[in-house]
Amino acid sequence: MNILLIGSGGREHALAWRLAQSRLLDGGGNLFAAPGNPGTAKHAANVVVDVTDHAAVVAFCAIQAIGLVVIGPEAPLVDGLADSLRAGGVAVFGPSAAAAQLEGSKGFTKDLCTRANIPTAAYARVASEAEAIAALAGFTIPVVIKADGLAAGKGVTVAMDRAEAEAALRDIFAGRFGEAGAEAVIEEFMVGEEASFFALTDGATIVPFGSAQDHKRVGDGDTGPNTGGMGAYSPARVLTPALEAEVMTRIIAPTVRAMADAGTPFSGVLYAGLMLTDAGPRLIEYNARFGDPECQVLMMRLASDLGEVLLACAENRLGTFEAPRFADDTALSVVMAARGYPGTPDKGGRVGGIDVAEAGGGIVFHAGTALESGALVANGGRVLNVTALGGSVREAQAKAYAAVDALDFPGGFCRRDIGAKEVARESLSGRLSPLRL
C-alpha cells in the first residue's frame, strides 16, 4: 500500500519514522510526505503538493494509488481536506471539518461540554469587546482569555489581573489573531496539574492511545511566555489507571457520543488537554490531531504497527482491531529552539552533530529545518526534538540531554528541566532504575 502523510513538522517526522516501519508498506509500498522536511526525507519521498488545493491532493492520491492519507496538522483538518479525500474515495486518518471544530472553535467545544455534562472550566463565549468586558466581571482573577479559533498556540492568555485580561481581549478583537479572534472565550482559571490523554476513535469505538505531559513555558521552572511546547515525556504517571478510566468515561466517551448524535461523527485522534483538579480531571480543550511534541514520545513508545492502527481507524473497524500496545519504558523529548523563540526566531543558523547525538540510541526529529546549499539550517522556532527512551524518566532524561549536548547548534537553546517534576516523584516513590548510558 502507498501512504501519504500531510505536514512538515516534528510531529510529522515522528509519524513518518514510525509509518516507515509499517507492514502496510511491505511488497513495494511507498510513503510520501507533503511537503515533509529534511528529517522525513530519511523515511519518505517528500513531494510538492499544495495541501490547500484539495483537488490537487485528491489527484495526487489517484495518480500514486494512495491507500491511506494521514493528516498531521490541524489547519488542513479544519479546512476540510479529509472531507475532500473521502469524497474522492481515499481512506483518511483525521476528522471531517465539522468534527474538527472540536479544535477549530473553543466555544464550540465548551458548548458541547455543557450539553454533554463534561467537566470543564466555567466560561463565557463572547463576540465583541464590549460583550467581553461586561462578561469579565463575572470571573475571579486570575482568568483565562482565549481566541476562539486556530491561533497557532498563541491565542491564550492567563491574565493575573483585570488590566491584563482586558488588554488580551482588546488584542483579540483588534484582529491580532485574524479570523481566529472573531470570537473569544473567557474561562475560569483551574488549579491543578496538566496532563494530556490521547484516544483513537472511528466514531463508534474508542481505544486509549497513551498519555504525556508537555512543558509549555519557554524557560526552566515554567517561567517566561507560553510556547508550542518545549518538551514532553510519556507516560504521564499522574494519570493513574483509575483517572484514565474516569477520563474515558466522563470526558472522551460523552464527546464521541455527542458528535455522533449531532450527525458529525469524529474519526481520528482526540487529544484531551486535562487539568487534574481536587474535584477530578476536567477538560481544558481538545486538539483534533496528535500533539507536538507529545506525538514524538508516543511514537517512541508505540509497540503496535502504526499504519495498521490508523488504517483500521480510517476504515471504521477499530472494534475488530487489537488495541494499540505501548512499551512500559518512558520516552522524553527536549525541544531545541532557535534564539528569539517564541518571538521572532533567528533563521538560517547551522545545525550539525545529529549523527553523533543519535549514536547513544536516541532520535533527533526535525521540527523546523531546511537544506541550504546542502547544509542543514534552522528554519523555524522549534527546530529539533531530541528524543530518547529509558527505563525511567531519569534515564530517558539523561539520554536525551546527552544527545542535546552532542549537537552542534550554536544558535539554539533548550530548557534543561524537561521531566524534572516526574524525576522527583520517581525518587520519592522508589521507582528509579539504574542509569544505562
Side-chain angles (χ1 to χ4, degrees), residues 8-54:
S8 63
R11 167 183 48 227
E12 286 73 41
H13 185 182
L15 290 170
W17 170 71
R18 187 54 82 184
L19 284 170
Q21 302 169 45
S22 174
R23 288 183 290 269
L24 295 181
L25 298 177
D26 289 351
N30 296 302
L31 175 62
F32 300 92
N37 64 36
T40 63
K42 299 178 182 178
H43 317 287
N46 289 349
V47 294
V48 179
V49 180
D50 182 0
V51 299
T52 66
D53 184 342
H54 295 190

Side-chain angles (χ1 to χ4, degrees), residues 52-191:
T52 66
D53 184 342
H54 295 190
V57 179
V58 173
F60 177 87
C61 290
I63 292 168
Q64 297 294 339
I66 299 296
L68 172 65
V69 175
V70 178
I71 302 177
E74 62 275 20
L77 293 170
V78 173
D79 189 43
L81 179 58
D83 302 82
S84 298
L85 286 163
R86 289 190 179 103
V90 183
V92 185
F93 179 79
S96 66
Q101 287 184 89
L102 283 173
E103 178 167 5
S105 170
K106 295 175 180 64
F108 173 89
T109 298
K110 300 297 283 191
D111 290 350
L112 181 144
C113 288
T114 298
R115 294 194 305 273
N117 197 30
I118 294 168
T120 189
Y123 74 102
R125 189 175 182 179
V126 293
S128 70
E129 182 181 340
E131 183 185 3
I133 297 301
L136 188 59
F139 291 83
T140 58
I141 301 296
V143 66
V144 182
I145 309 296
K146 297 180 177 180
D148 179 70
L150 298 180
K154 298 178 181 179
V156 179
T157 299
V158 178
M160 304 309 293
D161 56 48
R162 185 178 175 89
E164 187 180 8
E166 291 182 356
L169 289 167
R170 282 195 299 272
D171 280 350
I172 289 172
F173 288 107
R176 179 180 177 186
F177 305 107
E179 293 181 2
E183 292 189 5
V185 172
I186 304 172
E187 287 187 359
E188 163 199 11
F189 177 79
M190 295 188 289
V191 177

Side-chain angles (χ1 to χ4, degrees), residues 331-384:
L332 185 141
S333 187
V334 178
V335 170
M336 288 293 293
R339 277 194 299 256
Y341 181 75
T344 303
D346 294 339
K347 294 186 178 182
R350 63 180 173 83
V351 178
I354 290 179
D355 289 345
V356 178
E358 291 185 333
I363 296 179
V364 179
F365 295 115
H366 294 234
T369 64
L371 289 173
E372 291 185 0
S373 301
L376 190 68
V377 298
N379 191 43
R382 292 183 295 170
V383 180
L384 303 171

Side-chain angles (χ1 to χ4, degrees), residues 195-198 208-211 235-250 252 274 276 281 301 328 422 431:
S196 301
F197 182 79
F198 300 82
F209 200 79
S211 64
R237 290 191 173 87
V238 291
L239 271 175
T240 63
L243 284 176
E244 287 193 356
E246 184 177 353
V247 170
M248 284 285 284
T249 301
R250 299 188 62 204
I252 303 294
L274 305 170
L276 306 182
R301 293 184 54 234
D328 292 332
E422 188 60 25
R431 284 202 309 263

